[in-house]
Amino acid sequence: MRKLIWLVVITGLAYTGYWFIGAKSTEKAIAGWASARASEGWQAEYSGIDTHGFPLRFDTTITKPRFADPRTGVAFSTPQFDILSQSHRPTRIRAQVAPTATLATPLQRMEITQDRAEAELFVEPGPSLTLDHASAVLNGFSVTSNLGWGVTLETGNFNTQRDISDPFKHDIHLAVQGLTPSQGLMASLDPQGLLSHQFEQLELRMTTTFNGPWDIHALEGPRPQPTHIDLTNLSAKWGKLDLRMTGAFDVDGRGYPMGTVAIKAVNWREMIEIAISTGMIPQNMSNLALRAGEMLAGMSGRKDTIDAELTLKDGMITLGFIPLGPAPRVVIR
């Protein structure tokens, strides 16, 4: 009996030592990462780092973190950022952001509020913390820009799973419901009042191959960039507008897509008019885009529906031989 008591005491002391060593190592690793970024010219500041949760958890709270990357011009700050994990599963990490945050880019500054903003990451053991799979949830999300626009979001869910056969490939799923632009943004997006006030649903499913792994180094230097995208489904519903897209394309070194995408658009004329009013389709191309839409809708058998294939090449989007305008760049800052 005495031996059993001593065994329990020794085991308890050993585990207590493990927990405190792990807690201090976590705090030291975060402080070391911030110090390394500061030596590279970043703004990497915080007012405190504290780990609690003994004996079953490593819950680390970073108070008033402020980070800015000089290479991209992106800056982020929030009153509190929590990194949570179980002591027996330290490679399963949950991150929570405070109800308010600020995100700034070289173009604008955005104030963010949310009822819930958290992400769960499963990483491989080792110093690189390579991402295996992750999920994120947003509830009651709101963004206001100093450029005068804003959006609110009821719910948003994001998931990514790394492919077993290719460590640079991820299966990605995004679902958004209840996206509501501000009145100012609606006025610029839809000056003719063609749309409802709320973007009812958006869903994205795709498999993306990157030029490098998503790990701790992706936060320190250039972000991994997409090189190939298999678009399984992109569906968006906004009032009477209904858009669906599928296809596959490569992404060149400048971020321009090269390939083909099948598109089905219901009430396509309103979509083109919105694209013209927002500048996505140049004004001098508007008549050509509308005539092309009429021709393609006639081929599909319904005047309000386009069922066709877009070609992405040389930084442009074309329908057959008809250019529609510049293609969007696919670049992660």
Side-chain angles (χ1 to χ4, degrees):
M1 185 66 180
R2 183 178 298 177
K3 290 182 179 180
L4 179 60
I5 293 174
W6 274 109
L7 179 60
V8 171
V9 170
I10 293 172
T11 301
L13 290 174
Y15 183 83
T16 300
Y18 155 77
W19 189 92
F20 280 100
I21 292 172
K24 292 305 177 183
S25 296
T26 299
E27 295 174 5
K28 185 177 180 180
I30 294 171
W33 184 87
S35 178
R37 302 291 74 73
S39 66
E40 296 173 357
W42 283 45
Q43 179 191 18
E45 303 172 355
Y46 54 87
S47 63
I49 302 176
D50 178 61
T51 301
H52 48 280
F54 178 83
L56 299 179
R57 302 187 58 82
F58 290 122
D59 293 345
T60 301
T61 297
I62 307 172
T63 309
K64 295 182 179 180
R66 296 175 296 278
F67 296 102
D69 182 351
R71 281 172 289 203
T72 62
V74 175
F76 176 81
S77 63
T78 185
Q80 182 173 312
F81 188 83
D82 294 306
I83 302 173
L84 316 173
S85 66
Q86 297 171 328
S87 56
H88 65 287
R89 297 181 68 182
T91 57
R92 177 180 178 178
I93 302 168
R94 187 157 56 95
Q96 293 179 335
V97 183
T100 62
T102 299
L103 178 66
T105 74
L107 302 177
Q108 60 187 312
R109 177 185 177 92
M110 292 163 282
E111 300 298 332
I112 302 170
T113 62
Q114 62 269 325
D115 296 334
R116 178 188 180 194
E118 62 180 48
E120 195 167 32
L121 295 83
F122 294 77
V123 298
E124 290 187 343
S128 294
L129 298 177
T130 302
L131 179 65
D132 182 73
H133 61 284
S135 62
V137 177
L138 287 175
N139 289 334
F141 184 73
S142 175
V143 179
T144 303
S145 168
N146 63 347
L147 297 183
W149 64 268
V151 295
T152 60
L153 175 68
E154 291 178 3
T155 60
N157 293 276
F158 172 84
N159 296 277
T160 180
Q161 171 69 62
R162 190 176 62 168
D163 191 287
I164 297 176
S165 62
D166 186 345
F168 293 174
K169 183 184 293 184
H170 284 257
D171 295 320
I172 297 171
H173 177 225
L174 171 68
V176 171
Q177 292 184 330
L179 179 66
T180 305
S182 64
Q183 290 185 352
L185 182 56
M186 280 297 297
S188 61
L189 287 175
D190 183 27
Q192 300 181 36
L194 301 171
L195 298 172
S196 64
H197 74 285
Q198 188 179 75
F199 200 119
E200 286 91 348
Q201 187 173 5
L202 171 68
E203 183 175 16
L204 170 67
R205 290 184 182 274
M206 63 182 181
T207 299
T208 303
T209 303
F210 297 92
N211 62 0
W214 280 97
D215 57 20
I216 189 66
H217 304 295
L219 299 177
E220 303 167 357
R223 316 290 182 250
Q225 297 298 322
T227 59
H228 182 81
I229 295 177
D230 287 306
L231 183 61
T232 306
N233 176 53
L234 172 60
S235 58
K237 185 172 179 56
W238 194 345
K240 295 181 179 180
L241 307 188
D242 193 346
L243 176 68
R244 298 167 188 262
M245 300 176 67
T246 61
F249 50 88
D250 294 322
V251 182
D252 67 19
R254 299 174 300 164
Y256 288 112
M258 303 176 297
T260 58
V261 175
I263 178 173
K264 183 173 184 178
V266 179
N267 293 317
W268 61 269
R269 184 179 294 274
E270 287 86 346
M271 296 183 191
I272 290 181
E273 289 176 353
I274 292 168
I276 293 170
S277 67
T278 57
M280 294 178 63
I281 295 178
Q283 193 67 39
N284 61 356
M285 301 288 294
S286 59
N287 290 333
L288 181 60
L290 288 168
R291 287 199 300 269
E294 291 171 354
M295 180 183 67
L296 291 167
M299 294 172 61
S300 70
R302 291 185 56 182
K303 292 184 178 181
D304 66 341
T305 301
I306 288 177
D307 197 344
E309 190 172 78
L310 300 176
T311 299
L312 308 169
K313 185 179 179 182
D314 299 328
M316 296 292 293
I317 304 175
T318 59
L319 272 169
F321 61 89
I322 302 171
L324 293 183
R329 294 183 66 205
V330 185
V331 176
I332 300 175
R333 292 186 63 86

